[in-house]
Structures are given as structure tokens and as C-alpha cells.
């Protein structure tokens, strides 16, 4: 009986030691907010279709002036993205590692002012069949 208890204790120690050596999973919060970068409350449509896109801006590249009718989340993988609110003229520079929620229903554009590509991961929550953005027709030059 003592020998069996010894074996059981030895096995438990081995299992415990192996569990301590096992690779661990860590979780670090990157972002939390209930508002966009301009302070608007985030309003998610009912039963959204989630669309994830990898976007690359070559140096000097700029999107046309547009607005998002629904939440548009962006994580900057590489480079610095400059987002300009056309209505206020304010520009926000978002470097690598930034996560933000773009303004909703507000005319703006993104641009790469750097010398290296800007790479983004964007996430949209949209009603089925609705586009991520609405492009302004015949905008004034920027």
C-alpha cells in the first residue's frame, strides 16, 4: 500500500511538473471603447455580416473621400495611417499597433504620408449586401 501511494505521489509530481512546463496562452487587451475616434457612440446593425479585409496603402496612396454608414474597425499592422476628417479639417496619425473605430457618417479619407507601405486589417459590421463605405462624388481636391 505504501509503495502504491509512493507511485501515485510520484506520478502526480511528474504530471504537475509537465503542466508547469507546458506552453502557456496569454491574453492582452489591445483596445476597448464604445465610441469612434471622433466620440460618436458605436451602433452595430442587427444581425450584422462581419467582413474582414487586409488593406495596403503604398507610399503616397490615398483613399477617396468617403464615409462609413456602419462600424468600421481598423488595426494598423505596419506604417502610420493619416485619417483626415474633411468636415473639420483635423488629421489623426495612427501608427503601427493602433486600433481604432473610424468615424461613422462623416466624410473623411485615409492616406499614407510615409515612405513605406501602410498595412491594415479592417473589420466591418454590415447589414447583408450593404457596402462598407459611400464615396463622395466630385470632392474638392485635397
Amino acid at each position: 500500500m505504501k509503495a502504491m501511494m509512493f507511485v501515485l505521489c510520484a506520478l502526480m509530481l511528474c504530471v504537475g511538473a509537465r503542466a508547469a512546463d507546458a506552453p502557456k496562452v496569454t491574453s492582452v487587451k489591445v483596445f476597448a471603447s464604445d465610441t469612434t475616434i471622433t466620440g460618436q457612440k458605436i451602433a452595430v446593425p442587427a444581425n450584422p455580416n462581419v467582413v474582414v479585409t487586409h488593406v495596403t496603402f503604398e507610399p503616397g496612396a490615398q483613399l477617396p473621400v468617403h464615409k462609413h454608414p456602419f462600424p468600421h474597425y481598423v488595426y494598423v499592422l505596419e506604417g502610420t495611417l493619416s485619417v483626415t476628417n474633411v468636415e473639420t479639417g483635423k488629421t489623426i496619425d495612427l501608427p503601427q499597433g493602433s486600433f481604432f473605430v473610424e468615424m461613422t457618417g462623416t466624410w473623411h479619407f485615409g492616406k499614407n504620408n510615409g515612405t513605406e507601405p501602410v498595412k491594415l486589417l479592417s473589420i466591418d459590421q454590415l447589414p447583408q449586401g450593404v457596402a462598407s463605405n459611400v464615396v463622395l462624388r466630385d470632392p474638392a481636391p485635397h
Side-chain angles (χ1 to χ4, degrees), residues 13-72:
L13 285 173
C14 288
V15 169
R18 284 196 157 260
D21 294 339
K24 293 185 174 44
V25 174
T26 58
S27 176
V28 177
K29 186 182 293 185
V30 173
F31 178 83
S33 180
D34 64 350
T35 61
T36 68
I37 58 176
T38 57
Q40 301 162 305
K41 284 292 197 184
I42 297 170
V44 178
N47 306 309
N49 183 36
V50 176
V51 179
V52 180
T53 310
H54 187 270
V55 181
T56 301
F57 284 69
E58 294 301 328
Q62 174 180 318
L63 288 174
V65 175
H66 64 280
K67 62 183 173 181
H68 301 280
F70 297 98
H72 181 76

Side-chain angles (χ1 to χ4, degrees), residues 24-132:
K24 293 185 174 44
V25 174
T26 58
S27 176
V28 177
K29 186 182 293 185
V30 173
F31 178 83
S33 180
D34 64 350
T35 61
T36 68
I37 58 176
T38 57
Q40 301 162 305
K41 284 292 197 184
I42 297 170
V44 178
N47 306 309
N49 183 36
V50 176
V51 179
V52 180
T53 310
H54 187 270
V55 181
T56 301
F57 284 69
E58 294 301 328
Q62 174 180 318
L63 288 174
V65 175
H66 64 280
K67 62 183 173 181
H68 301 280
F70 297 98
H72 181 76
Y73 311 96
V74 179
Y75 182 73
V76 182
L77 298 165
E78 295 178 23
T80 297
L81 179 68
S82 297
V83 177
T84 300
N85 180 332
V86 174
E87 297 174 18
T88 66
K90 182 179 177 186
T91 297
I92 302 169
D93 290 326
L94 299 144
Q96 179 178 340
S98 296
F99 188 93
F100 62 100
V101 183
E102 282 203 48
M103 55 204 87
T104 305
T106 303
W107 296 112
H108 66 282
F109 63 91
K111 183 174 183 180
N112 178 358
N113 290 316
T115 58
E116 299 294 324
V118 170
K119 295 185 180 183
L120 311 173
L121 183 71
S122 71
I123 304 166
D124 290 285
Q125 292 180 296
L126 307 165
Q128 195 69 33
V130 172
S132 166

